[in-house]
Amino acid sequence: MSRVYFHSPHRTAELRGSERAWLGGLITDIAIGALGLGSTARIDRLRELIHPDHYMAKQDTTGPGWLSAWASSYATAFSVGWSGSAPLIQHRGRAVETFELALNTALTLGGDAVKLGARLHGSCEIHAWVDGPNRSWLADIMQGGIDAGVYRDGFARQIGGGGTVWSDQGWGDVIALLRERDDEPVVTSYSVCDGFPDPGVGDWMPPWPKGVPRDWRELTEEQRNARSERSEEWYDLDDAEQWRISMAGLRASKKGLQLEPAGWSAFRFGHRLSVLDLVAADFEDRLDTALGSEKPST
């Protein structure tokens, strides 16, 4: 079963993958609720923004009871985002990622626990992190999320024979880890992606060759061998050196991975757009600004 790991130099705590799935569903539900799919006016707006090659552009809107069926199909399409090579939403030929829309809607509408859920769901795989002095602050948000029912401390899970067993989601140990000290960072990773410390974070691996797509298959055999050898050498380093190199990379990153009080309310992912921007009266101006689109000449 998958895990979200919270690593410190001294130990690691685990949050169950089922809790990340819970948070992902919550974030999607918030965004779909904000879309207002029960309103024909909202649906007309959303239809304007559907990519012409997406299957939702061909949905029937003439038959009896079409609105409910259309809304259900759109909600599913929003959760998935792309159909083949076509995004669900576009503006003047530019794709609008629905995953980022959902995350940013949660960040806009949610309290601190929802905000943290969005930050973890959106960046635990690429090493969201908290610095030592802010560990207690983050633990307080997690405890507040449990107390409010935004997070699940655990749940009863059925087992064979009709019995149940308590499934602890791991928040308690994560919170305990955060409160143990304030002089070390805590960094996330996801069990199906790279762990931490990570040789790809920092200056250990050679820079990706200029002009080459970031695809292993695009590298020459010589380049592959060089990167493989360098990656293997990573494991000859002691833990402290691996942490030093990886943390230097995280601290220099411009991806907004640090979880901290400064800028907490203003943070947004990617294009920074939320569902509220799509349905606003001045939606075209908002999308033009966010996507760098050029308005058609008049």
Side-chain angles (χ1 to χ4, degrees), residues 250-271:
L250 280 185
R251 292 184 187 280
S253 172
K254 304 299 183 184
K255 296 179 180 179
L257 296 173
Q258 186 177 2
L259 306 172
E260 58 179 336
W264 178 248
S265 295
F267 178 85
R268 298 293 183 271
F269 286 94
H271 49 53

Side-chain angles (χ1 to χ4, degrees), residues 4-62:
V4 177
Y5 295 111
F6 290 76
H7 308 275
S8 78
H10 279 83
R11 77 175 184 94
T12 294
E14 302 178 3
L15 184 68
R16 303 300 183 268
S18 53
E19 191 67 0
R20 184 189 178 186
W22 166 268
L23 293 174
L26 175 65
I27 289 159
T28 300
D29 287 347
I30 290 171
I32 290 173
L35 284 168
L37 294 175
S39 162
T40 54
R42 288 283 182 88
I43 286 177
D44 287 343
R45 168 68 56 75
L46 296 173
R47 288 176 64 199
E48 290 180 46
L49 295 169
I50 294 174
H51 192 286
D53 294 332
H54 194 280
Y55 71 83
M56 281 303 302
K58 304 173 181 64
Q59 291 291 304
D60 178 40
T61 57
T62 60

Side-chain angles (χ1 to χ4, degrees), residues 60-240:
D60 178 40
T61 57
T62 60
W66 70 268
L67 192 150
S68 178
W70 192 96
S72 178
S73 294
Y74 189 90
T76 299
F78 185 93
S79 301
V80 174
W82 289 68
S83 175
S85 61
L88 172 64
I89 301 172
Q90 61 83 41
H91 177 66
R92 306 198 203 284
R94 301 192 179 220
V96 181
E97 292 287 346
T98 57
F99 183 55
E100 292 174 351
L101 281 171
L103 293 172
N104 290 338
T105 304
L107 289 169
T108 301
L109 296 177
D112 284 343
V114 172
K115 283 181 168 62
L116 177 56
R119 295 289 294 272
L120 291 176
H121 186 49
S123 55
C124 67
E125 297 173 2
I126 55 174
H127 310 313
W129 66 285
V130 61
D131 216 350
N134 293 322
R135 286 168 59 157
S136 179
W137 163 80
L138 195 68
D140 287 344
I141 292 178
M142 291 179 180
Q143 187 61 57
I146 293 170
D147 294 343
V150 177
Y151 306 154
R152 302 174 301 174
D153 196 27
F155 57 87
R157 178 170 54 86
Q158 285 192 329
I159 57 176
T164 61
V165 63
W166 182 253
S167 179
D168 189 313
Q169 292 301 91
W171 286 112
D173 194 38
V174 173
I175 291 171
L177 168 67
L178 290 170
R179 295 200 191 282
E180 282 173 2
R181 55 197 301 164
D182 63 2
D183 60 342
E184 293 178 343
V186 173
V187 184
T188 66
S189 71
Y190 190 51
S191 57
V192 299
C193 301
D194 294 326
F196 195 87
D198 181 349
V201 178
D203 61 2
W204 180 254
M205 294 296 289
W208 195 267
K210 290 184 178 180
V212 177
R214 295 191 67 85
D215 185 331
W216 180 262
R217 296 167 297 182
E218 298 293 331
L219 296 176
T220 66
E221 184 175 357
E222 182 180 359
Q223 289 169 335
R224 292 181 189 178
N225 290 338
R227 295 185 74 82
S228 294
E229 290 174 8
R230 185 65 170 168
S231 181
E232 287 299 318
E233 291 169 0
W234 172 258
Y235 300 101
D236 295 331
L237 303 176
D238 62 28
D239 290 346

